[in-house]
Amino acid sequence: MVLNARLDHRNPLVFDTHELGRRPGALQRLTRTIDAPRDLGVAGVIGVPEGAPLELELRLESVLEGVLVTGTARAKAEGECVRCLEPLEQQLEADFQEMFSYPDADDRGRVKAEPADDAEEDEDRLFVEDGLIDLEPVLRDAVVLALPMQPVCQEDCQGLCSECGVRLSDDPDHHHDAVDIRWAALQGLAGSLEDGEKDEMSGAEPGVDEKQEK
Ligand SMILES: [Zn+2]
Ligand SMILES: [Zn+2]
């Protein structure tokens, strides 16, 4: 975390907690539709295109040591089917909850620990800075978790024909010549297994023969 970089209240993922106030129990609900930031999603697989509308529904709750943010992000994600490579769209809904601590939280929240003890944990902690909170890291993590690592255009997508590359879901009866390609694949596999076995046998042959003779 870069501590000296001040949060910019004009950033659409930065939220102001002044209105919420610091009285524990205070609640604020808000929705905001923003332009999706760059590289939101699983790189190279599926994600929300930059600038696409992203709806945020948030609940900010003031607690003793900071602000607890609970929310949902909704957007349309775009990617490519891992089986047939067709472009696909998917409705994304990502839930998240995150605690933003007051930097001076030491009353009855967390006791300020010695830096040495807490250094590692501090890196993952998020803070309210000048009354502002930055949701971007939270949103990024939530979106990645909510998206499939192996998106498919449809659950039973058959992928592409290994012979000619045609999309099998478009043409399920499609085949090549008289030989079913699945048989061809199996025969190919059987052939390579036989070759392997033969090689092993010929290597082991003299020893085996000796043993059998004695
Ligand atoms: Zn597909
Ligand atoms: Zn084919």
Side-chain angles (χ1 to χ4, degrees):
M1 197 166 104
V2 187
L3 285 167
N4 54 9
R6 299 186 69 145
L7 294 179
D8 181 354
H9 68 276
R10 287 166 302 182
N11 178 335
L13 281 166
V14 168
F15 288 79
D16 196 328
T17 68
H18 286 113
E19 201 184 318
L20 175 71
R22 284 187 64 160
R23 209 185 65 200
L27 266 183
Q28 190 182 8
R29 284 174 201 278
L30 45 98
T31 56
R32 184 184 285 184
T33 302
I34 65 163
D35 293 344
R38 278 177 63 178
D39 304 324
L40 185 65
V42 186
V45 179
I46 186 168
V48 182
E50 183 179 2
L54 182 116
E55 188 193 310
L56 287 169
E57 209 178 288
L58 300 177
R59 177 180 180 273
L60 309 185
E61 184 181 357
S62 177
V63 294
L64 210 53
E65 67 269 35
V67 177
L68 181 67
V69 180
T70 311
T72 305
R74 292 186 188 87
K76 206 176 275 176
E78 291 178 9
E80 198 175 71
C81 174
V82 291
R83 293 184 202 151
C84 72
L85 313 179
E86 280 292 302
L88 58 84
E89 275 190 359
Q90 195 172 323
Q91 195 58 42
L92 162 79
E93 187 169 312
D95 296 322
F96 49 86
Q97 183 169 65
E98 194 68 49
M99 179 71 201
F100 288 83
S101 306
Y102 295 124
D104 57 354
D106 59 356
D107 27 359
R108 273 174 47 213
R110 293 168 58 97
V111 176
K112 273 193 169 177
E114 300 83 72
D117 284 0
D118 222 9
E120 211 171 295
E121 200 186 323
D122 263 354
E123 272 177 35
D124 294 331
R125 282 180 75 195
L126 296 167
F127 292 95
V128 180
E129 299 174 46
D130 301 327
L132 302 176
I133 56 175
D134 180 10
L135 267 189
E136 184 162 343
V138 181
L139 176 71
R140 287 190 179 283
D141 289 352
V143 165
V144 168
L145 283 176
L147 288 172
M149 297 300 291
Q150 309 245 297
V152 286
C153 60
Q154 56 194 72
E155 275 312 310
D156 60 349
C157 173
Q158 302 292 302
L160 302 174
C161 170
S162 59
E163 297 275 295
C164 68
V166 98
R167 187 170 174 263
L168 293 172
S169 303
D170 292 338
D171 191 359
D173 299 329
H174 151 118
H175 67 284
H176 293 266
D177 300 324
V179 187
D180 187 309
I181 54 160
R182 282 169 296 186
W183 274 113
L186 280 176
Q187 280 166 351
L189 186 64
S192 60
L193 280 177
E194 269 169 28
D195 290 348
E197 274 165 24
K198 263 180 224 154
D199 288 348
E200 269 172 41
M201 297 260 272
S202 61
E205 234 164 348
V208 170
D209 284 348
E210 268 173 41
K211 268 183 197 164
Q212 279 172 343
E213 274 164 23
K214 277 175 191 173

